[in-house]
Amino acid sequence: MTKVALLYPPITDPTSGYHSLSYIDSYARAQGHPPADLIDVNIEAFHHSYSPAGLAWLDQELAAPRDYLDYGSYRLNKEFVDAHLLRVGDPDPERVRRAVATLQDPERFYDYGLYQEAVDGVIAWMNVLATTGFPGQFREGFHLEPPPPIAVGSVRALTDHALLDRLNRPYQSYYDTVLRSRLVRGGYDVVGINITYQWQLPFALWLARLVRSWLPDAFLVAGGTEVSDVWKAAAERPMVFEVFRDLDAIVIGEGETAYVELLDALGAGSLPVTHPNIRLHPRYGAVRPLPMLHYEKLATVPTPDFSRLPWDQYLSPERFVYYSPSRGCYWNKCTFCDYGLNTDGPTSPWRQDTVDTMIRDVTELSRFAKFIYFSVDVLAPATILRFAEQVVERGLDFRWGAEIRLEKYWSDERCRLLKRSGCTAISVGFESANQRVLDLIDKGTRPAQVKQTITAMAGAGIGVQMMGFTGFPTETREEALDSIGFLLDNRDLWTFGGLGDFVLTPGAIVAKQPDRFGITNLRRPPGGDVSPVLFYDEPITEAARGEVTEAKKLLNRSHYDRPWLGAVDTPHTFFYHDRYGTAVRDLLEQDRDLRDTDDDTPFVLNGTFIPTPDPAVLGRYRDLYGDRSQDLPDGRLAFRRDDGRVFLLPASAKLFLKLFAAPTTLAQARGRAWILAAAESGRTWRSLVRLRLIRRHSALPQVPEPSPA
C-alpha cells in the first residue's frame, strides 16, 4: 500500500481550501487507493506564526542582526529595502488573534468596519513576518511580491538556495517544528506538491528541497497550473528540471489519471512510464516518446470530497468550495487567451458534464458547503439554464456563482430563474467596450449586448463582476477611454471588478501572429528563462499608457485586493454578495463617507506617526506602492495606517489625529478643535474618514491565549 501526503504550499488565499488536491484524491479513492493525507501548508504555517512556538521563534528572529541588502547572490538597493520597511509596525499577536476570530465569526464578519479592522490586522502581521525574509514580500498579506529576478521567472533565482531560503524564512519555524516531524512520522512513500499560482513556486521549490532531505527515499512529484506554465514557457526544455531538480517527476496538464498511474506503478515497484502527462526527471534515463497530452473524460471524475481539508482553520465564517463541471472553453477563440496546457487553441479542449451529473454533484456538495463556485473557464448558457431549472425543481438550497460569456441568451426571465436557483454573483470577461478592439480579440460580443446582459443580471439581483483590460495591441487612448467610460456610465449595473493591463503570453494567438496585431520585437524579460510573459514593442498603446492608467483610477474604490473582499471571485466577496445583494458595493463605499449619525459615533486612531524618512526613500516607496500622485513636499509628516500604507500629511494633521488616540466622537473632537471654522472642520473629518486614518470604534472580543504548541 502506497502512503501519500499531498501538500498545498504558501503563499496563496487563506480564506478557503483549493480544490485540486481534493479532486485527484477523490479520483484515486474511486479507483481503489487509500486516501492521501492532505496538508494545507499555506494556512497551517500562518496559524503557527502567532502560536507560542511561532512567537518565540519570531522574537528571536527580530532580535538578531540582519543584513537586509544581502539577498542570496543578489545585492539590493538600500532605499528599496527601507521603503518596504516603512510599512512595518510592531508585532501584535493579540491583534492577529482577534482578526482571525472576526473573520471566522458568522456575525462580526459582516460588519464591514470590523471586517476592515480584521483584514488590516492580518496584513500588518504579515508585514512583520516578512521582515524575517524580505521586507515587503507579502503584499495584501497573501500575495507574493518577490525581488524582480523571481518575478520574471529566472532559473538562476529559482535555483539559488540562499535566495529561496530567505524568501521561505517567515515559515521556517513551521517547517522545522511541525511539518518535518509530521512527514517523518508519517513514513510517506509519495509526497505530492500542488503549485497552482506563480506566487507558490518559490515556496514549493524550497519545500521539495526540505522534503528530499527529510524523506530521502520518498518519491516527490509536483503538478498544477504553474508546473504546466513552467513547462510551456521554458526557453529550453532542460531548464524545466533545472527548476524542479529536487523532484522525481512532474505532472503537466490534468492530473487525475496521471496520479493513479503513478500510484499503481510505484505500488508495483516500477516507475510511471506510459502516461503522457507524467515527465520523469532525466536522472531516470532518456526522454521517452509519448503520445499527445491526455485530457480527462469528465464522466469518470467522481463528486469531489472536500471534507478532509482543514475547514476550521480558513479565514472565513462559511465553507466555500470550488467545483469544475467543465474544462476548456466552448468559444476558444479569444486572441489574448492562453490558459491551461493548451496546444493549438487558447484553452484546453472543451468538455462539459451533463446536467444530471452536475445535479448529483451539487446535491452532495451542498450538504457540506453553502457556497459552491463553478471554477471553470466558462459554462454553456443552455446547460446553466437547465441546471438552474433542476435546482429549483428539486428545492436545493445553496449559493453558487460562475464565470459566463455575455451572450444574448440571458433575458430578464432567465436571469430571474438563475437567481431563484441560488445564483449569487457571476463574473464576466467583457474585455473592452470598443468594437474594433473586441473584434481584434475575436470576443464575439458587442457593447450594447454586454449592457443588455448585465442589466438583466443586475435586475434579477445577481451581482455582476466585470473583468477587462486596457493596452491590447493597437488600442488607442480614445478606445481605452471607451472601456473606462462604459464602466463609469453603467456603474449601477456591476458590483466589483474593473480594468487590468493587457499581458502577452507565449501561447496566445497574438504572440503567434504578431504582424496581425502590429507588435514587433517579441522577447523575454531580461533573465526570464521560464517567464510566462513576453515583452514587445507597440507604440500606439505605449504612448497612451500613463494617461489611461490615471483614468482607470476613477473606476474602483475597492479597499482590498485578493484575497479579501472587493476582489473578483473570492469567497469573501461572494459572502458579502449573499448578505447584501447588488447593493454591496455601495455599502462598502459609504463606509468611507461621513454619516448623519457619526457625530455621536466614537472614532479611534487607525495608525501611528513615524519619523520622517529620507525623501529618496519616500520617493522609492511611492514608486513601489503606486502612490505616484502623492507629492513629496517639505515639512510633511509620515503616518503609517494600521494596514501598513504610508501617508504624507501636513504637520497640522497631527493635532487632529491625536484627538482620537482614545475613542472619541466627532462632536467631542469638534469641541476640542474649536479653532477650526465649521466648514474646514467638516472637510478635515471627511478626509480622515475617507483615508481611513481614523475608524469607527467597536468593542473588541476577548480572544483566549492559544495553548502552547
Side-chain angles (χ1 to χ4, degrees):
M1 183 181 296
T2 305
K3 193 169 185 183
V4 183
L6 298 177
L7 311 183
Y8 194 60
I11 185 163
T12 186
D13 188 347
T15 66
S16 182
Y18 199 63
H19 62 316
S20 52
L21 295 182
S22 295
Y23 258 84
I24 65 168
D25 182 55
S26 299
Y27 184 85
R29 289 160 60 188
Q31 305 303 311
H33 288 277
D37 290 334
L38 309 186
I39 304 175
D40 192 328
V41 176
N42 180 61
I43 193 63
E44 287 192 6
F46 165 71
H47 288 301
H48 175 81
S49 70
Y50 62 87
S51 70
L55 289 174
W57 175 87
L58 181 60
D59 288 342
Q60 183 177 347
E61 284 286 306
L62 296 179
R66 186 178 306 278
D67 180 4
Y68 285 123
L69 306 184
D70 182 14
Y71 203 49
S73 59
Y74 300 89
R75 188 77 179 169
L76 298 184
N77 177 281
K78 186 176 186 303
E79 291 171 359
F80 179 82
V81 173
D82 287 347
H84 283 301
L85 285 170
L86 289 179
R87 293 174 76 94
V88 181
D90 295 326
D92 189 345
E94 174 59 25
R95 183 183 179 199
V96 75
R97 283 193 287 269
R98 289 197 308 266
V100 170
T102 294
L103 294 175
Q104 294 180 337
D105 186 277
E107 292 303 323
R108 296 176 65 82
F109 175 89
Y110 293 101
D111 180 319
Y112 188 53
L114 296 178
Y115 177 87
Q116 292 178 94
E117 186 178 349
V119 172
D120 289 353
V122 172
I123 293 174
W125 179 257
M126 297 300 286
N127 287 344
V128 172
L129 198 62
T131 62
T132 65
F134 167 67
Q137 74 177 59
F138 298 142
R139 185 176 288 207
E140 293 289 328
F142 289 85
H143 180 107
L144 180 64
E145 194 76 19
I150 285 184
V152 299
S154 161
V155 169
R156 177 191 171 204
L158 291 169
T159 56
D160 185 323
H161 294 151
L163 183 64
L164 294 178
D165 184 10
R166 283 290 298 274
L167 270 175
N168 278 267
R169 191 67 187 165
Y171 294 136
Q172 197 63 43
S173 174
Y174 167 81
Y175 296 157
D176 290 341
T177 62
V178 178
L179 187 61
R180 177 178 182 173
S181 59
R182 184 173 177 181
L183 293 181
V184 171
R185 285 196 314 269
Y188 295 103
D189 305 299
V190 176
V191 176
I193 303 174
N194 176 255
I195 316 174
T196 302
Y197 301 107
Q198 189 181 30
W199 313 335
Q200 295 175 286
L201 183 58
F203 301 95
L205 295 176
W206 188 247
L207 279 172
R209 179 175 172 81
L210 294 177
V211 173
R212 175 61 70 203
S213 68
W214 301 337
L215 301 174
D217 297 325
F219 191 91
L220 303 187
V221 59
T225 305
E226 179 61 17
V227 174
S228 297
D229 284 348
V230 170
W231 177 269
K232 287 197 310 183
E236 300 173 8
R237 189 61 68 207
M239 289 179 173
V240 174
F241 276 105
E242 286 185 54
V243 173
F244 297 120
R245 62 176 59 178
D246 291 306
L247 297 168
D248 293 292
I250 58 174
V251 175
I252 56 174
E254 297 168 18
E256 285 90 346
T257 54
Y259 177 58
V260 167
E261 178 171 314
L262 184 147
L263 297 182
D264 287 342
L266 295 177
S270 61
L271 290 172
V273 295
T274 62
H275 199 288
N277 293 12
I278 299 176
R279 296 294 188 270
L280 291 171
H281 193 287
R283 74 171 70 96
Y284 290 108
V287 176
R288 59 204 184 284
L290 289 170
M292 290 283 290
L293 292 166
H294 175 76
Y295 297 97
E296 306 295 359
K297 297 178 180 178
L298 296 191
T300 67
V301 177
T303 305
D305 174 14
F306 295 106
S307 64
R308 302 179 65 254
L309 292 173
W311 291 100
D312 61 333
Q313 296 190 42
Y314 296 118
L315 306 186
S316 289
E318 306 267 8
R319 291 175 178 175
F320 179 102
V321 299
Y322 295 95
Y323 169 57
S324 299
S326 76
R327 298 185 186 181
C329 175
Y330 67 82
W331 182 254
N332 206 11
K333 295 180 182 179
C334 294
T335 55
F336 70 88
C337 188
D338 176 15
Y339 186 74
L341 207 66
N342 48 350
T343 51
D344 58 347
T347 74
S348 302
W350 166 244
R351 290 144 292 152
Q352 184 171 268
D353 269 331
T354 65
V355 172
D356 287 345
T357 300
M358 293 168 63
I359 290 295
R360 178 203 70 190
D361 290 345
V362 299
T363 299
E364 182 65 27
L365 292 174
S366 64
R367 297 189 182 105
F368 178 77
K370 178 182 177 182
F371 291 86
I372 302 173
Y373 183 70
F374 288 32
S375 182
V376 297
D377 292 329
V378 71
L379 283 170
T383 299
I384 299 176
L385 192 69
R386 292 197 301 272
F387 169 80
E389 289 170 345
Q390 287 289 309
V391 169
V392 173
E393 182 178 318
R394 293 166 184 258
L396 299 178
D397 183 17
F398 63 97
R399 305 292 180 267
W400 64 275
E403 184 171 339
I404 70 167
R405 268 181 57 81
L406 289 162
E407 309 279 16
K408 292 185 290 186
Y409 188 85
W410 297 114
S411 64
D412 293 349
E413 181 181 355
R414 286 170 172 169
C415 289
R416 288 193 292 268
L417 172 62
L418 294 189
K419 181 64 176 179
R420 291 199 303 275
S421 73
C423 183
T424 300
I426 52 99
S427 299
V428 294
F430 86 108
E431 320 314 357
S432 171
N434 178 270
Q435 192 62 55
R436 187 189 74 86
V437 174
L438 286 172
D439 292 343
L440 271 179
I441 291 173
D442 201 1
K443 187 69 181 177
T445 56
R446 307 187 69 81
Q449 172 190 322
V450 170
K451 181 172 182 178
Q452 174 186 331
T453 303
I454 64 176
T455 299
M457 290 287 180
I462 297 172
V464 177
Q465 303 181 103
M466 300 290 280
M467 299 180 293
F469 51 80
T470 59
F472 193 77
T474 73
E475 180 185 68
T476 65
R477 167 189 173 277
E478 290 73 20
E479 289 170 334
L481 293 178
D482 283 347
S483 297
I484 298 169
F486 178 88
L487 291 178
L488 290 173
D489 292 344
N490 296 287
R491 184 61 197 84
D492 58 329
L493 300 178
W494 56 280
T495 51
F496 298 107
L499 295 168
D501 299 315
F502 172 74
V503 175
L504 181 61
T505 53
I509 293 173
V510 173
K512 295 175 180 177
Q513 303 174 24
D515 292 345
R516 176 182 165 193
F517 299 93
I519 63 175
T520 58
N521 191 24
L522 275 69
R523 61 200 183 275
R524 293 178 177 275
D529 314 295
V530 293
S531 171
V533 174
L534 292 177
F535 289 175
Y536 59 91
D537 294 337
E538 198 281 281
I540 297 174
T541 54
E542 184 61 35
R545 189 178 306 277
E547 186 175 350
V548 170
T549 297
E550 285 300 310
K552 285 197 292 189
K553 292 179 181 180
L554 298 172
L555 288 175
N556 201 340
R557 289 181 61 196
S558 178
H559 301 175
Y560 297 108
D561 201 346
R562 285 185 177 274
W564 312 114
L565 172 61
V568 174
D569 293 353
T570 60
H572 287 189
T573 299
F574 268 79
F575 299 152
Y576 263 69
H577 269 120
D578 183 54
R579 176 65 64 97
Y580 297 108
T582 55
V584 60
R585 181 65 176 277
D586 292 335
L587 172 80
L588 270 59
E589 292 183 348
Q590 289 168 6
D591 186 79
R592 295 289 176 89
D593 297 323
L594 280 180
R595 306 169 188 167
D596 293 339
T597 58
D598 274 340
D599 258 14
D600 298 320
T601 299
F603 284 77
V604 69
L605 193 63
N606 193 34
T608 184
F609 283 95
I610 55 178
T612 304
D614 183 276
V617 174
L618 288 174
R620 196 60 185 269
Y621 176 91
R622 181 180 60 177
D623 294 338
L624 287 169
Y625 288 97
D627 290 328
R628 293 176 178 82
S629 61
Q630 241 184 319
D631 293 329
L632 302 174
D634 293 335
R636 292 287 175 123
L637 301 178
F639 182 84
R640 181 174 55 244
R641 201 170 64 187
D642 273 356
D643 62 349
R645 183 176 173 183
V646 175
F647 294 81
L648 299 181
L649 305 175
S652 59
K654 190 168 188 176
L655 297 174
F656 302 109
L657 286 170
K658 286 176 65 176
L659 297 173
F660 300 95
T664 302
T665 68
L666 291 185
Q668 292 169 329
R670 190 177 293 109
R672 297 172 188 170
W674 54 269
I675 196 170
L676 282 179
E680 186 177 350
S681 172
R683 287 193 298 271
T684 298
W685 310 138
R686 280 193 295 273
S687 295
L688 297 183
V689 171
R690 178 176 54 82
L691 296 175
R692 283 205 308 127
L693 306 183
I694 59 175
R695 56 176 170 79
R696 295 173 182 85
H697 176 71
S698 299
L700 298 173
Q702 295 299 311
V703 180
E705 290 286 331
S707 58

